[in-house]
Amino acid sequence: GNSFKENFLGKIEESIGATELNIHKLGQDSFDTPIITELGSAAETTLAHFWELLKKQGSGQKGDLLTDGRANIAYIRDASSELWAVYANWDADHGGWYVEAYSVEDPRRWDVGRQVVSH
């Protein structure tokens, strides 16, 4: 998506160590702020870690992430340290991940069943 391209394509992350990621399925509709508050310091992840998850399912195969068109959300900071809700959903018609970003300053409502990636 355009917002993702504008805010993340030039980002360079260095010295990103291994980490264990957790995936949470939303049990009810929610906005970004309550999700971030509930996850606390574990809410944010890196673009590199999110990318590794996407690569594991690079052909739309089953795995940890949803591949049914619903959003997988990660809270990631851009190069200017602004926090974004970066989401990826599998686009079967185009055979790849569609990735977009929404600023958490303009909260978005995520529907039940979507997944959130955290530390």
Short mmCIF file of all heavy atoms in Angstrom, two decimals, residues 4-72:
data_model
loop_
_atom_site.label_atom_id
_atom_site.label_comp_id
_atom_site.label_asym_id
_atom_site.label_seq_id
_atom_site.Cartn_x
_atom_site.Cartn_y
_atom_site.Cartn_z
N PHE A 4 2.37 2.39 3.47
CA PHE A 4 3.49 1.54 3.86
C PHE A 4 4.73 1.93 3.07
O PHE A 4 5.81 2.11 3.63
CB PHE A 4 3.17 0.06 3.66
CG PHE A 4 4.33 -0.82 4.03
CD1 PHE A 4 4.58 -1.13 5.35
CD2 PHE A 4 5.19 -1.30 3.05
CE1 PHE A 4 5.67 -1.92 5.70
CE2 PHE A 4 6.27 -2.09 3.39
CZ PHE A 4 6.51 -2.40 4.72
N LYS A 5 4.59 2.09 1.77
CA LYS A 5 5.72 2.46 0.92
C LYS A 5 6.33 3.79 1.37
O LYS A 5 7.55 3.91 1.48
CB LYS A 5 5.29 2.55 -0.54
CG LYS A 5 4.98 1.23 -1.17
CD LYS A 5 4.46 1.45 -2.59
CE LYS A 5 3.92 0.18 -3.19
NZ LYS A 5 3.33 0.41 -4.53
N GLU A 6 5.49 4.77 1.60
CA GLU A 6 5.96 6.10 1.98
C GLU A 6 6.69 6.12 3.32
O GLU A 6 7.62 6.89 3.50
CB GLU A 6 4.78 7.08 2.05
CG GLU A 6 4.18 7.40 0.71
CD GLU A 6 2.87 8.17 0.82
OE1 GLU A 6 2.54 8.66 1.93
OE2 GLU A 6 2.16 8.26 -0.19
N ASN A 7 6.28 5.27 4.25
CA ASN A 7 6.80 5.35 5.61
C ASN A 7 7.81 4.26 5.98
O ASN A 7 8.49 4.40 7.00
CB ASN A 7 5.64 5.35 6.60
CG ASN A 7 4.81 6.60 6.47
OD1 ASN A 7 5.23 7.66 6.88
ND2 ASN A 7 3.66 6.47 5.85
N PHE A 8 7.89 3.21 5.18
CA PHE A 8 8.75 2.10 5.60
C PHE A 8 9.77 1.62 4.57
O PHE A 8 10.74 0.97 4.94
CB PHE A 8 7.90 0.90 6.04
CG PHE A 8 7.25 1.12 7.37
CD1 PHE A 8 5.97 1.62 7.46
CD2 PHE A 8 7.94 0.85 8.55
CE1 PHE A 8 5.38 1.85 8.69
CE2 PHE A 8 7.36 1.07 9.78
CZ PHE A 8 6.07 1.57 9.85
N LEU A 9 9.61 1.92 3.30
CA LEU A 9 10.54 1.37 2.31
C LEU A 9 11.96 1.84 2.50
O LEU A 9 12.90 1.11 2.21
CB LEU A 9 10.06 1.64 0.89
CG LEU A 9 8.94 0.74 0.41
CD1 LEU A 9 8.67 0.98 -1.07
CD2 LEU A 9 9.23 -0.72 0.65
N GLY A 10 12.18 3.02 3.04
CA GLY A 10 13.53 3.51 3.26
C GLY A 10 14.09 3.18 4.64
O GLY A 10 15.21 3.54 4.96
N LYS A 11 13.31 2.49 5.46
CA LYS A 11 13.74 2.21 6.83
C LYS A 11 14.82 1.13 6.85
O LYS A 11 14.70 0.10 6.20
CB LYS A 11 12.55 1.77 7.69
CG LYS A 11 12.96 1.53 9.13
CD LYS A 11 11.80 1.17 10.01
CE LYS A 11 12.34 1.00 11.42
NZ LYS A 11 11.37 0.59 12.36
N ILE A 12 15.86 1.39 7.63
CA ILE A 12 16.93 0.41 7.83
C ILE A 12 16.96 0.04 9.30
O ILE A 12 17.05 0.92 10.17
CB ILE A 12 18.30 0.98 7.39
CG1 ILE A 12 18.26 1.30 5.91
CG2 ILE A 12 19.42 0.01 7.74
CD1 ILE A 12 19.47 2.05 5.41
N GLU A 13 16.86 -1.23 9.59
CA GLU A 13 16.96 -1.73 10.96
C GLU A 13 18.27 -2.49 11.07
O GLU A 13 18.52 -3.40 10.29
CB GLU A 13 15.78 -2.64 11.30
CG GLU A 13 14.45 -1.91 11.31
CD GLU A 13 13.27 -2.82 11.59
OE1 GLU A 13 13.29 -3.98 11.14
OE2 GLU A 13 12.35 -2.36 12.26
N GLU A 14 19.08 -2.12 12.05
CA GLU A 14 20.37 -2.76 12.23
C GLU A 14 20.42 -3.49 13.56
O GLU A 14 19.75 -3.10 14.52
CB GLU A 14 21.50 -1.73 12.16
CG GLU A 14 21.59 -1.06 10.80
CD GLU A 14 22.68 0.00 10.75
OE1 GLU A 14 23.27 0.31 11.79
OE2 GLU A 14 22.93 0.50 9.65
N SER A 15 21.23 -4.53 13.61
CA SER A 15 21.47 -5.29 14.84
C SER A 15 20.17 -5.77 15.48
O SER A 15 19.95 -5.61 16.68
CB SER A 15 22.27 -4.46 15.84
OG SER A 15 23.50 -4.05 15.28
N ILE A 16 19.32 -6.34 14.66
CA ILE A 16 18.06 -6.90 15.15
C ILE A 16 18.31 -8.34 15.58
O ILE A 16 18.62 -9.19 14.76
CB ILE A 16 16.96 -6.86 14.07
CG1 ILE A 16 16.76 -5.44 13.54
CG2 ILE A 16 15.66 -7.45 14.59
CD1 ILE A 16 16.29 -4.45 14.57
N GLY A 17 18.22 -8.58 16.87
CA GLY A 17 18.45 -9.92 17.40
C GLY A 17 17.22 -10.80 17.27
O GLY A 17 16.12 -10.32 16.97
N ALA A 18 17.41 -12.06 17.49
CA ALA A 18 16.30 -13.02 17.45
C ALA A 18 15.34 -12.73 18.60
O ALA A 18 15.74 -12.22 19.65
CB ALA A 18 16.83 -14.44 17.55
N THR A 19 14.10 -13.03 18.39
CA THR A 19 13.09 -12.85 19.43
C THR A 19 11.97 -13.85 19.21
O THR A 19 11.81 -14.39 18.12
CB THR A 19 12.53 -11.41 19.44
OG1 THR A 19 11.75 -11.23 20.62
CG2 THR A 19 11.66 -11.14 18.22
N GLU A 20 11.22 -14.09 20.23
CA GLU A 20 10.04 -14.95 20.12
C GLU A 20 8.82 -14.04 19.97
O GLU A 20 8.63 -13.11 20.75
CB GLU A 20 9.88 -15.80 21.37
CG GLU A 20 8.72 -16.77 21.28
CD GLU A 20 8.65 -17.68 22.49
OE1 GLU A 20 9.70 -18.11 22.99
OE2 GLU A 20 7.51 -17.97 22.92
N LEU A 21 8.05 -14.30 18.94
CA LEU A 21 6.85 -13.51 18.70
C LEU A 21 5.63 -14.29 19.15
O LEU A 21 5.59 -15.52 19.10
CB LEU A 21 6.73 -13.17 17.22
CG LEU A 21 7.83 -12.27 16.66
CD1 LEU A 21 7.65 -12.09 15.16
CD2 LEU A 21 7.86 -10.92 17.36
N ASN A 22 4.63 -13.55 19.58
CA ASN A 22 3.35 -14.11 19.98
C ASN A 22 2.27 -13.60 19.03
O ASN A 22 2.36 -12.49 18.53
CB ASN A 22 3.00 -13.70 21.41
CG ASN A 22 4.03 -14.20 22.39
OD1 ASN A 22 4.21 -15.40 22.53
ND2 ASN A 22 4.70 -13.29 23.06
N ILE A 23 1.29 -14.43 18.80
CA ILE A 23 0.18 -14.04 17.93
C ILE A 23 -1.11 -14.15 18.73
O ILE A 23 -1.39 -15.18 19.34
CB ILE A 23 0.14 -14.92 16.66
CG1 ILE A 23 1.43 -14.70 15.88
CG2 ILE A 23 -1.09 -14.58 15.83
CD1 ILE A 23 1.58 -15.52 14.64
N HIS A 24 -1.86 -13.05 18.72
CA HIS A 24 -3.10 -12.95 19.49
C HIS A 24 -4.27 -12.74 18.53
O HIS A 24 -4.22 -11.85 17.68
CB HIS A 24 -3.04 -11.74 20.44
CG HIS A 24 -1.76 -11.64 21.19
ND1 HIS A 24 -1.56 -12.26 22.39
CD2 HIS A 24 -0.60 -10.99 20.89
CE1 HIS A 24 -0.33 -11.99 22.82
NE2 HIS A 24 0.27 -11.22 21.92
N LYS A 25 -5.29 -13.54 18.67
CA LYS A 25 -6.49 -13.38 17.86
C LYS A 25 -7.46 -12.47 18.62
O LYS A 25 -7.71 -12.69 19.81
CB LYS A 25 -7.14 -14.73 17.58
CG LYS A 25 -8.29 -14.63 16.58
CD LYS A 25 -8.72 -15.99 16.10
CE LYS A 25 -7.68 -16.46 15.12
NZ LYS A 25 -8.17 -17.34 14.09
N LEU A 26 -7.98 -11.45 17.94
CA LEU A 26 -8.92 -10.54 18.59
C LEU A 26 -10.24 -11.26 18.88
O LEU A 26 -10.86 -11.81 17.98
CB LEU A 26 -9.18 -9.31 17.72
CG LEU A 26 -8.00 -8.38 17.49
CD1 LEU A 26 -8.41 -7.22 16.57
CD2 LEU A 26 -7.47 -7.84 18.81
N GLY A 27 -10.65 -11.22 20.14
CA GLY A 27 -11.90 -11.86 20.56
C GLY A 27 -13.11 -10.94 20.39
O GLY A 27 -14.24 -11.38 20.51
N GLN A 28 -12.83 -9.66 20.12
CA GLN A 28 -13.89 -8.68 19.88
C GLN A 28 -13.31 -7.56 19.04
O GLN A 28 -12.09 -7.41 18.94
CB GLN A 28 -14.42 -8.12 21.20
CG GLN A 28 -13.38 -7.39 22.02
CD GLN A 28 -13.90 -7.01 23.40
OE1 GLN A 28 -14.78 -7.65 23.94
NE2 GLN A 28 -13.35 -5.95 23.96
N ASP A 29 -14.17 -6.78 18.42
CA ASP A 29 -13.70 -5.62 17.67
C ASP A 29 -12.95 -4.69 18.61
O ASP A 29 -13.33 -4.55 19.78
CB ASP A 29 -14.88 -4.85 17.08
CG ASP A 29 -15.65 -5.65 16.02
OD1 ASP A 29 -15.20 -6.74 15.65
OD2 ASP A 29 -16.71 -5.15 15.58
N SER A 30 -11.88 -4.09 18.11
CA SER A 30 -11.10 -3.19 18.97
C SER A 30 -10.35 -2.17 18.14
O SER A 30 -10.02 -2.41 16.98
CB SER A 30 -10.12 -4.00 19.81
OG SER A 30 -9.45 -3.16 20.74
N PHE A 31 -10.04 -1.05 18.79
CA PHE A 31 -9.21 -0.02 18.20
C PHE A 31 -7.76 -0.24 18.61
O PHE A 31 -7.47 -1.00 19.54
CB PHE A 31 -9.68 1.37 18.64
CG PHE A 31 -10.97 1.78 18.01
CD1 PHE A 31 -12.18 1.50 18.62
CD2 PHE A 31 -10.99 2.45 16.79
CE1 PHE A 31 -13.39 1.87 18.04
CE2 PHE A 31 -12.18 2.84 16.20
CZ PHE A 31 -13.38 2.54 16.83
N ASP A 32 -6.84 0.46 17.94
CA ASP A 32 -5.42 0.31 18.24
C ASP A 32 -5.06 0.59 19.69
O ASP A 32 -4.33 -0.19 20.31
CB ASP A 32 -4.58 1.24 17.34
CG ASP A 32 -4.62 0.85 15.88
OD1 ASP A 32 -4.47 -0.35 15.58
OD2 ASP A 32 -4.80 1.74 15.03
N THR A 33 -5.54 1.69 20.24
CA THR A 33 -5.13 2.10 21.58
C THR A 33 -5.41 1.03 22.64
O THR A 33 -4.51 0.70 23.42
CB THR A 33 -5.77 3.45 21.96
OG1 THR A 33 -5.37 4.42 20.98
CG2 THR A 33 -5.32 3.92 23.33
N PRO A 34 -6.61 0.45 22.71
CA PRO A 34 -6.82 -0.60 23.72
C PRO A 34 -5.95 -1.84 23.48
O PRO A 34 -5.51 -2.48 24.45
CB PRO A 34 -8.31 -0.95 23.58
CG PRO A 34 -8.93 0.19 22.88
CD PRO A 34 -7.87 0.81 22.05
N ILE A 35 -5.68 -2.17 22.23
CA ILE A 35 -4.82 -3.32 21.94
C ILE A 35 -3.42 -3.05 22.46
O ILE A 35 -2.82 -3.87 23.16
CB ILE A 35 -4.79 -3.62 20.43
CG1 ILE A 35 -6.16 -4.05 19.92
CG2 ILE A 35 -3.73 -4.69 20.12
CD1 ILE A 35 -6.28 -4.11 18.40
N ILE A 36 -2.89 -1.87 22.13
CA ILE A 36 -1.54 -1.50 22.56
C ILE A 36 -1.47 -1.45 24.09
O ILE A 36 -0.51 -1.93 24.70
CB ILE A 36 -1.12 -0.16 21.92
CG1 ILE A 36 -0.97 -0.35 20.41
CG2 ILE A 36 0.16 0.37 22.54
CD1 ILE A 36 -0.87 0.96 19.63
N THR A 37 -2.48 -0.88 24.72
CA THR A 37 -2.51 -0.80 26.18
C THR A 37 -2.51 -2.18 26.81
O THR A 37 -1.77 -2.43 27.76
CB THR A 37 -3.75 0.01 26.65
OG1 THR A 37 -3.65 1.33 26.10
CG2 THR A 37 -3.82 0.09 28.15
N GLU A 38 -3.32 -3.08 26.29
CA GLU A 38 -3.40 -4.42 26.86
C GLU A 38 -2.08 -5.18 26.70
O GLU A 38 -1.65 -5.89 27.61
CB GLU A 38 -4.52 -5.22 26.21
CG GLU A 38 -4.69 -6.59 26.85
CD GLU A 38 -5.93 -7.32 26.38
OE1 GLU A 38 -6.94 -6.65 26.04
OE2 GLU A 38 -5.90 -8.56 26.37
N LEU A 39 -1.41 -5.02 25.56
CA LEU A 39 -0.15 -5.73 25.33
C LEU A 39 1.04 -5.07 26.04
O LEU A 39 2.07 -5.71 26.24
CB LEU A 39 0.13 -5.83 23.83
CG LEU A 39 -0.83 -6.71 23.05
CD1 LEU A 39 -0.55 -6.58 21.55
CD2 LEU A 39 -0.73 -8.16 23.50
N GLY A 40 0.90 -3.80 26.40
CA GLY A 40 1.97 -3.10 27.12
C GLY A 40 3.25 -3.02 26.31
O GLY A 40 3.23 -2.82 25.09
N SER A 41 4.38 -3.22 26.97
CA SER A 41 5.68 -3.09 26.31
C SER A 41 5.91 -4.16 25.24
O SER A 41 6.79 -4.02 24.40
CB SER A 41 6.81 -3.14 27.33
OG SER A 41 6.82 -4.39 27.99
N ALA A 42 5.11 -5.20 25.25
CA ALA A 42 5.24 -6.26 24.25
C ALA A 42 4.54 -5.92 22.93
O ALA A 42 4.70 -6.64 21.95
CB ALA A 42 4.67 -7.57 24.79
N ALA A 43 3.80 -4.81 22.89
CA ALA A 43 3.01 -4.48 21.71
C ALA A 43 3.85 -4.22 20.47
O ALA A 43 3.49 -4.63 19.38
CB ALA A 43 2.13 -3.26 21.99
N GLU A 44 4.98 -3.55 20.64
CA GLU A 44 5.78 -3.17 19.48
C GLU A 44 6.71 -4.30 19.04
O GLU A 44 7.26 -5.03 19.86
CB GLU A 44 6.62 -1.94 19.80
CG GLU A 44 5.79 -0.70 19.98
CD GLU A 44 6.64 0.52 20.21
OE1 GLU A 44 7.73 0.64 19.59
OE2 GLU A 44 6.23 1.37 21.02
N THR A 45 6.86 -4.40 17.73
CA THR A 45 7.83 -5.33 17.15
C THR A 45 8.59 -4.59 16.07
O THR A 45 8.39 -3.39 15.88
CB THR A 45 7.14 -6.61 16.63
OG1 THR A 45 8.13 -7.57 16.31
CG2 THR A 45 6.25 -6.34 15.43
N THR A 46 9.46 -5.28 15.38
CA THR A 46 10.24 -4.63 14.33
C THR A 46 9.74 -5.08 12.96
O THR A 46 9.11 -6.14 12.82
CB THR A 46 11.73 -5.01 14.44
OG1 THR A 46 11.87 -6.41 14.21
CG2 THR A 46 12.30 -4.63 15.80
N LEU A 47 10.05 -4.28 11.97
CA LEU A 47 9.71 -4.63 10.61
C LEU A 47 10.41 -5.92 10.21
O LEU A 47 9.83 -6.78 9.55
CB LEU A 47 10.09 -3.48 9.67
CG LEU A 47 9.66 -3.61 8.22
CD1 LEU A 47 8.16 -3.77 8.11
CD2 LEU A 47 10.13 -2.38 7.45
N ALA A 48 11.65 -6.08 10.64
CA ALA A 48 12.42 -7.29 10.31
C ALA A 48 11.74 -8.55 10.84
O ALA A 48 11.63 -9.56 10.13
CB ALA A 48 13.84 -7.19 10.86
N HIS A 49 11.26 -8.50 12.06
CA HIS A 49 10.60 -9.68 12.63
C HIS A 49 9.27 -9.98 11.92
O HIS A 49 8.95 -11.14 11.67
CB HIS A 49 10.38 -9.50 14.13
CG HIS A 49 11.66 -9.52 14.91
ND1 HIS A 49 11.93 -8.62 15.90
CD2 HIS A 49 12.74 -10.33 14.83
CE1 HIS A 49 13.12 -8.88 16.41
NE2 HIS A 49 13.64 -9.91 15.77
N PHE A 50 8.52 -8.92 11.62
CA PHE A 50 7.26 -9.12 10.91
C PHE A 50 7.52 -9.69 9.52
O PHE A 50 6.84 -10.61 9.06
CB PHE A 50 6.50 -7.79 10.84
CG PHE A 50 5.05 -7.92 10.44
CD1 PHE A 50 4.22 -8.88 10.99
CD2 PHE A 50 4.51 -7.04 9.51
CE1 PHE A 50 2.87 -8.97 10.62
CE2 PHE A 50 3.18 -7.13 9.13
CZ PHE A 50 2.35 -8.09 9.69
N TRP A 51 8.53 -9.17 8.85
CA TRP A 51 8.90 -9.64 7.51
C TRP A 51 9.25 -11.13 7.54
O TRP A 51 8.88 -11.88 6.63
CB TRP A 51 10.05 -8.81 6.96
CG TRP A 51 10.61 -9.31 5.68
CD1 TRP A 51 11.86 -9.78 5.45
CD2 TRP A 51 9.94 -9.39 4.41
NE1 TRP A 51 12.01 -10.16 4.14
CE2 TRP A 51 10.84 -9.93 3.48
CE3 TRP A 51 8.65 -9.06 3.98
CZ2 TRP A 51 10.50 -10.15 2.15
CZ3 TRP A 51 8.32 -9.29 2.66
CH2 TRP A 51 9.24 -9.82 1.76
N GLU A 52 9.96 -11.57 8.56
CA GLU A 52 10.32 -12.99 8.67
C GLU A 52 9.07 -13.87 8.74
O GLU A 52 9.03 -14.95 8.15
CB GLU A 52 11.24 -13.24 9.87
CG GLU A 52 12.64 -12.72 9.67
CD GLU A 52 13.36 -13.35 8.48
OE1 GLU A 52 13.27 -14.57 8.28
OE2 GLU A 52 14.01 -12.59 7.73
N LEU A 53 8.06 -13.42 9.47
CA LEU A 53 6.79 -14.17 9.52
C LEU A 53 6.14 -14.24 8.14
O LEU A 53 5.64 -15.29 7.72
CB LEU A 53 5.81 -13.54 10.51
CG LEU A 53 6.05 -13.76 11.98
CD1 LEU A 53 5.03 -12.98 12.79
CD2 LEU A 53 6.00 -15.24 12.33
N LEU A 54 6.13 -13.11 7.44
CA LEU A 54 5.51 -13.08 6.11
C LEU A 54 6.25 -14.00 5.15
O LEU A 54 5.62 -14.71 4.35
CB LEU A 54 5.50 -11.65 5.55
CG LEU A 54 4.66 -10.63 6.31
CD1 LEU A 54 4.85 -9.24 5.73
CD2 LEU A 54 3.20 -11.03 6.35
N LYS A 55 7.57 -14.01 5.20
CA LYS A 55 8.36 -14.87 4.31
C LYS A 55 8.08 -16.35 4.53
O LYS A 55 8.07 -17.12 3.58
CB LYS A 55 9.86 -14.62 4.51
CG LYS A 55 10.33 -13.32 3.91
CD LYS A 55 11.84 -13.11 3.89
CE LYS A 55 12.68 -13.94 4.80
NZ LYS A 55 14.10 -13.59 4.79
N LYS A 56 7.83 -16.75 5.77
CA LYS A 56 7.54 -18.16 6.08
C LYS A 56 6.29 -18.65 5.37
O LYS A 56 6.13 -19.85 5.14
CB LYS A 56 7.38 -18.36 7.59
CG LYS A 56 8.68 -18.30 8.35
CD LYS A 56 8.43 -18.54 9.82
CE LYS A 56 9.71 -18.42 10.62
NZ LYS A 56 9.46 -18.58 12.06
N GLN A 57 5.39 -17.74 5.03
CA GLN A 57 4.15 -18.09 4.34
C GLN A 57 4.08 -17.34 3.01
O GLN A 57 3.02 -16.90 2.59
CB GLN A 57 2.95 -17.78 5.23
CG GLN A 57 2.87 -18.68 6.46
CD GLN A 57 1.76 -18.28 7.39
OE1 GLN A 57 2.01 -17.81 8.48
NE2 GLN A 57 0.52 -18.46 6.96
N GLY A 58 5.21 -17.25 2.34
CA GLY A 58 5.33 -16.47 1.12
C GLY A 58 4.54 -16.96 -0.07
O GLY A 58 4.41 -16.27 -1.07
N SER A 59 3.98 -18.17 0.03
CA SER A 59 3.13 -18.69 -1.05
C SER A 59 1.68 -18.84 -0.60
O SER A 59 0.89 -19.51 -1.24
CB SER A 59 3.67 -20.05 -1.51
OG SER A 59 4.97 -19.91 -2.04
N GLY A 60 1.37 -18.25 0.56
CA GLY A 60 0.00 -18.31 1.07
C GLY A 60 -0.33 -19.59 1.80
O GLY A 60 -1.49 -19.85 2.11
N GLN A 61 0.71 -20.39 2.09
CA GLN A 61 0.47 -21.66 2.77
C GLN A 61 0.05 -21.42 4.22
O GLN A 61 0.23 -20.36 4.77
CB GLN A 61 1.72 -22.56 2.70
CG GLN A 61 2.94 -22.02 3.41
CD GLN A 61 3.84 -21.16 2.55
OE1 GLN A 61 3.38 -20.38 1.72
NE2 GLN A 61 5.13 -21.27 2.77
N LYS A 62 -0.53 -22.45 4.82
CA LYS A 62 -0.98 -22.37 6.21
C LYS A 62 0.22 -22.18 7.12
O LYS A 62 1.33 -22.63 6.84
CB LYS A 62 -1.73 -23.65 6.61
CG LYS A 62 -3.00 -23.88 5.84
CD LYS A 62 -4.06 -22.90 6.24
CE LYS A 62 -5.35 -23.20 5.49
NZ LYS A 62 -6.29 -22.13 5.56
N GLY A 63 -0.01 -21.50 8.23
CA GLY A 63 1.02 -21.25 9.22
C GLY A 63 0.44 -20.40 10.33
O GLY A 63 -0.76 -20.41 10.57
N ASP A 64 1.30 -19.63 10.98
CA ASP A 64 0.87 -18.81 12.10
C ASP A 64 0.00 -17.63 11.69
O ASP A 64 -0.87 -17.20 12.44
CB ASP A 64 2.08 -18.28 12.87
CG ASP A 64 2.84 -19.39 13.59
OD1 ASP A 64 2.20 -20.38 14.00
OD2 ASP A 64 4.07 -19.26 13.72
N LEU A 65 0.24 -17.09 10.51
CA LEU A 65 -0.51 -15.92 10.06
C LEU A 65 -1.78 -16.33 9.30
O LEU A 65 -1.83 -17.39 8.69
CB LEU A 65 0.36 -15.06 9.14
CG LEU A 65 1.61 -14.47 9.78
CD1 LEU A 65 2.43 -13.71 8.75
CD2 LEU A 65 1.28 -13.58 10.97
N LEU A 66 -2.77 -15.45 9.34
CA LEU A 66 -4.01 -15.67 8.59
C LEU A 66 -3.72 -15.50 7.09
O LEU A 66 -3.03 -14.56 6.69
CB LEU A 66 -5.07 -14.66 9.00
CG LEU A 66 -5.53 -14.69 10.46
CD1 LEU A 66 -6.41 -13.49 10.76
CD2 LEU A 66 -6.27 -15.99 10.76
N THR A 67 -4.24 -16.40 6.29
CA THR A 67 -4.09 -16.30 4.83
C THR A 67 -5.45 -16.32 4.14
O THR A 67 -5.54 -16.66 2.97
CB THR A 67 -3.19 -17.43 4.28
OG1 THR A 67 -3.74 -18.69 4.69
CG2 THR A 67 -1.77 -17.28 4.76
N ASP A 68 -6.48 -15.94 4.89
CA ASP A 68 -7.84 -15.96 4.36
C ASP A 68 -8.35 -14.57 4.00
O ASP A 68 -9.54 -14.35 3.87
CB ASP A 68 -8.78 -16.63 5.37
CG ASP A 68 -8.81 -15.92 6.71
OD1 ASP A 68 -8.13 -14.88 6.87
OD2 ASP A 68 -9.51 -16.41 7.63
N GLY A 69 -7.43 -13.61 3.86
CA GLY A 69 -7.81 -12.25 3.51
C GLY A 69 -7.98 -11.33 4.70
O GLY A 69 -8.10 -10.12 4.53
N ARG A 70 -7.98 -11.89 5.93
CA ARG A 70 -8.11 -11.05 7.12
C ARG A 70 -6.73 -10.53 7.55
O ARG A 70 -5.71 -11.12 7.25
CB ARG A 70 -8.75 -11.83 8.27
CG ARG A 70 -10.21 -12.17 7.99
CD ARG A 70 -10.86 -12.90 9.12
NE ARG A 70 -10.24 -14.22 9.25
CZ ARG A 70 -10.42 -15.00 10.31
NH1 ARG A 70 -11.15 -14.60 11.33
NH2 ARG A 70 -9.84 -16.18 10.36
N ALA A 71 -6.73 -9.44 8.28
CA ALA A 71 -5.50 -8.75 8.63
C ALA A 71 -4.70 -9.42 9.74
O ALA A 71 -5.25 -9.91 10.71
CB ALA A 71 -5.82 -7.31 9.05
N ASN A 72 -3.38 -9.39 9.55
CA ASN A 72 -2.39 -9.70 10.57
C ASN A 72 -1.73 -8.35 10.87
O ASN A 72 -1.21 -7.70 9.97
CB ASN A 72 -1.34 -10.66 10.02
CG ASN A 72 -1.96 -11.98 9.59
OD1 ASN A 72 -2.23 -12.83 10.41
ND2 ASN A 72 -2.20 -12.14 8.29
#
